[in-house]
Amino acid sequence: MTSVKSGTVTSAMTDQANAAIESALRTFETEAGGVTALAAALKSDLGPAFVAAADMIRNAKGRLIITGLGKSGHIGRKIAATFASTGTPAFFVHATEASHGDLGMITADDVIMALSWSGEQPEMKNLITYAKRFRIALIAMTAEHDSTLGTAADVALVLPKAREACPHNLAPTTSSLMQLALGDALAIALLEGRGFTSVDFGVLHPGGKLGALLKYTRDLMHSGDAVPLKPLGTKMSDALVEMTSKGFGCVGVIDGHGHIVGIVTDGDLRRHMRPDLMTASVDDVMTRNPKTIGRDLLASEVLAILNSSKITALIVTDGKKPVGIVHLHDLLRAGVV
């Protein structure tokens, strides 16, 4: 029986791990080279075509229709989703399905952006013919300017040649990343050009953590009797009852006009701990001019204030009058954190 020393096994495993990391680093380097080449092209010959494509999409009366096959199709689906989520109405049509009825999804008011590295897929022929017949604007994203797709397009976004990360230079890797990067660049250029705001983004992203971050204070705050408040001159024993019953770990202090002038927190209790604390007035214990927020602050900004101030709750005010309270737990429940 042949035995294998544990040290030999460990060494073999280490060699495999190192080889995997080296492979990954080569992939990153190769793909980064493709993006670098794309950036250089954008500063040169690709620049005017990029501007023309952005203008064509921006001025379209209809939608942006993105199409492709294989890996280009997968990338096209993601690009369409990015455009749609950033204010440019867009959807993906598979180039093969287009020839079997899905051409009916495309109108004369739309713009087609077709992705094909070679620009020579036979399945694109019917789509190109349809675009020409109904005078539908066609943008090509291809590496071959003189290809069937490149010559048929109104605007050709010609990607620079780059080696695939695959050691055989076959599997679409670098090329797919370059298509994705150029699609993202177009989407963001249009977003910035139209002044698409975080508010607009929130309308299109009501779900998940993004949706939670784009909620407003008014959507999360507790209001009415739920807000812990006591007037100036209140004994600390009464303030403590209010603080405990409302469960926010604090109580706001208001003056005769109903304006917030202070806050008593758990930290204030610890700092002023003494035998006569319960008979003292909130005036002597409270933190004056407390940090407050308005109703229209984004949840992401509320979270930033809580974190930077190292506090767990904020009084919400309208002018100087308290109208609500937001606790860190509210952000947790909403999925912000």
Side-chain angles (χ1 to χ4, degrees):
M1 181 180 293
T2 303
S3 62
V4 179
K5 294 182 178 179
S6 61
T8 302
V9 174
T10 302
S11 177
M13 292 175 64
T14 301
D15 290 343
Q16 289 176 355
N18 290 337
I21 292 172
E22 288 299 323
S23 175
L25 291 173
R26 285 194 299 272
T27 297
F28 294 159
E29 184 177 354
T30 303
E31 293 190 344
V35 175
T36 299
L38 182 60
L42 194 61
K43 296 176 183 177
S44 182
D45 297 340
L46 180 57
F50 182 90
V51 173
D55 288 342
M56 186 175 288
I57 297 168
R58 181 185 300 108
N59 296 325
K61 295 180 181 179
R63 301 146 304 175
L64 174 63
I65 312 300
I66 299 178
T67 186
L69 291 160
K71 301 301 185 293
S72 293
H74 294 305
I75 295 299
R77 288 182 187 277
K78 191 277 175 185
I79 293 174
T82 298
F83 272 106
S85 70
T86 53
T88 299
F91 66 87
F92 177 81
V93 173
H94 194 281
T96 300
E97 294 297 333
S99 298
H100 295 274
D102 283 1
L103 283 173
M105 297 180 178
I106 307 172
T107 74
D109 290 332
D110 297 332
V111 173
I112 299 172
M113 184 163 72
L115 280 63
S116 171
W117 190 257
S118 69
E120 293 295 349
Q121 282 96 341
E123 295 89 345
M124 286 283 187
K125 182 178 179 181
N126 290 334
L127 194 144
I128 293 171
T129 301
Y130 184 82
K132 292 300 180 185
R133 179 181 178 185
F134 292 99
R135 298 182 180 179
I136 301 170
L138 177 61
I139 300 169
M141 188 184 293
T142 180
E144 302 292 343
H145 185 274
D146 296 328
S147 64
T148 301
L149 177 61
T151 54
D154 299 291
V155 175
L157 297 170
V158 182
L159 297 155
K161 301 289 175 47
R163 182 175 178 81
E164 303 288 8
C166 164
H168 310 297
N169 196 30
L170 294 174
T173 46
T174 306
S175 57
S176 297
L177 181 61
M178 292 168 69
Q179 288 176 323
L180 180 60
L182 188 56
D184 285 346
L186 269 172
I188 299 305
L190 288 164
L191 176 155
E192 293 178 344
R194 68 167 59 88
F196 191 79
T197 67
S198 59
V199 175
D200 300 320
F201 196 81
V203 171
L204 300 178
H205 295 77
K209 185 169 183 177
L210 282 175
L213 285 169
L214 293 166
K215 289 182 182 295
Y216 291 97
T217 304
R218 60 177 179 267
D219 302 319
L220 302 171
M221 72 182 192
H222 303 265
S223 58
D225 292 338
V227 185
L229 294 172
K230 282 294 180 179
L232 284 168
T234 299
K235 287 185 178 181
M236 279 300 301
S237 56
D238 293 333
L240 186 59
V241 171
E242 178 78 355
M243 184 188 302
T244 304
S245 63
K246 299 296 173 67
F248 293 105
C250 65
V251 56
V253 181
I254 54 176
D255 63 13
H257 302 288
H259 296 166
I260 189 80
V261 292
I263 191 169
V264 178
T265 67
D266 292 334
D268 292 317
L269 293 178
R270 289 191 296 271
R271 283 189 291 274
H272 291 83
M273 189 61 67
R274 59 181 190 265
D276 65 340
L277 176 60
M278 291 299 102
T279 59
S281 167
V282 292
D283 308 42
D284 302 322
V285 177
M286 70 182 187
T287 297
R288 296 181 180 275
N289 301 314
K291 192 178 295 291
T292 61
I293 55 173
R295 303 183 215 234
D296 298 325
L297 203 64
L298 286 172
S300 56
E301 297 174 291
V302 176
L303 179 60
I305 293 172
L306 289 174
N307 285 335
S308 63
S309 303
K310 297 181 179 180
I311 55 178
T312 58
L314 284 163
I315 300 290
V316 183
T317 59
D318 184 359
K320 294 182 179 180
K321 291 190 175 182
V323 293
I325 186 169
V326 173
H327 194 276
L328 180 62
H329 290 165
D330 300 317
L331 301 179
L332 286 167
R333 281 190 290 269
V336 176
V337 182

